[in-house]
Amino acid sequence: MAETKDLLMLENFIGGQFLPCHSYIDSYDPSTGEVYCKVPNSGKDEIEAAVVAAREAFPDWSSQSPEKRAQVLNRLADLLEQFLEELAQAESKDQGKTLTLARTMDIPRSVQNFRFFASSILHHTTECTHMDHLGCLHYTMRTPVGIAGLISPWNLPLYLLTWKIAPAIAAGNTVIAKPSELTSVTAWMFCKLLDKAGVPPGVVNVVFGTGPRVGEALVCHPEVPLISFTGSQPTAERITQLSAPHCKKLSLELGGKNPAIIFEDANLEECIPATVRSSFANQGEICLCTSRIFVQKSIYHEFLKRFVEATRNWKVGIPSDPSASMGALISKLHLEKVRSYVKKARAEGAQILCGEGVDTLSLPPKNQAGYFMLPTVITDIRDESCCMKEEIFGPVTCVVPFESEEEVIKRANNVEYGLAATVWSSDVGRIHRVAKKLQSGLIWTNCWLIRELNLPFGGMKHSGIGREGAKDSYNFFTEIKTITVKH
């Protein structure tokens, strides 16, 4: 890794080459609050160079057979697996998450993304119909779109970047990826593996920088017909505005205000540890995390007592600590934002049962300036509170009672978001009824975050547009045409 004065210096990857940039952005280690990396502050010129490279690579790459492209994806998966420990160490340092989580979730899932799409690209079919009375045969064909613009977030950096790159290049597109400027290191390391895997120059280009500079240049470029974005709703609105004049295809995977509904017949031995995890995994910085917990009134006090006790056992520590369940939040600004919600809740008269402002966090001296926060449980809070309406994206969850099935469905749906939900009950009939009525794209019952990559992933309402998964991603990254043959 290239280093300058002990700082890691990243470079853009365009046309198969690492290229320096004229200016750089500071990137911080969330566990210490210190600058440790310089990220290119790219703009229109770098995007233009990437478009040229992607345009030149497209004819040959798109003409390769699915089998040939699948071989390349499998080699990429093998290389990611080979360097799993180095990538996990880098992801933990860059993002603040625990090293354990990076080792067991982020990097293994990045490997799986390439293996999965290497397989799925070989098994798609097309439609065919006959009109015998007119002597016509009709069939459909799917072709790659061209240059795909991919914008990925900071919470699961390599995991979500590869979730976009893999289906895009498997379908025959070339790509220009923009990772978050807050977490760029593993994307840069990934670029070093592309040539070894046999990815031709220009097929994958990675341009680093901020949204307003490089992100907008990518979205506005007339030769990039497709944008896949994972991130916040305000950024998605800006992408929609900028892309509208070009009629671009958009996939927008946005936030959530995800409810957990816990009925009185739930198995609390399983439910409580799973709900602690669904609330606080990755510091609560996952779009699928639970931030509203509705508990049936008859078990509310028992659940609350046990849940708070379990939350206090959810250890916050330095990312390298193998006993830590939670690391540091992404940035000082984000930490202040999350803390501000707890302050607002307290000002509204809510009770903070554990965590921020209640318990004491102990950290080593060198980590005192890091962006750490204890997992926090809020109760006695109104449904109309901003803590129950807005995505906090941190280790904060609210617990409130409910009485009836009809009531809780109405309250769970009473937000702008509709990404995910969890339902805990031993009544199978109830599970099916509630799942049907919840306005969420993903609903887990008696579990959380078990993913089947063949099936659609995405949300309703303000949680986004479109779906991702085997068939859905293939459809998004290709154009369909209908061909009629008169015979």
Side-chain angles (χ1 to χ4, degrees), residues 427-456:
D427 184 335
V428 175
R430 171 188 280 158
I431 284 171
H432 287 297
R433 285 195 309 272
V434 174
K436 183 177 181 179
K437 294 178 181 179
L438 285 174
Q439 296 169 355
S440 298
L442 300 139
I443 299 166
W444 285 285
T445 64
N446 300 325
C447 63
W448 179 69
L449 205 57
I450 296 175
R451 289 276 288 115
E452 161 56 273
L453 302 188
N454 279 293
L455 298 184

Side-chain angles (χ1 to χ4, degrees), residues 266-274 306:
N267 181 340
L268 294 186
E269 292 296 322
E270 294 179 0
C271 170
I272 288 172
R306 292 170 63 177

Side-chain angles (χ1 to χ4, degrees), residues 370-386:
Y371 315 132
F372 294 90
M373 178 178 171
L374 288 166
T376 300
V377 178
I378 301 174
T379 190
D380 293 336
I381 191 162
R382 297 176 299 109
D383 287 4
E384 294 74 26
S385 168
C386 62

Side-chain angles (χ1 to χ4, degrees), residues 39 131 162 179 189 191 302 412 415 485:
V39 176
M131 294 178 69
T162 55
M189 294 171 70
C191 292
E302 179 191 358
V415 290
V485 179

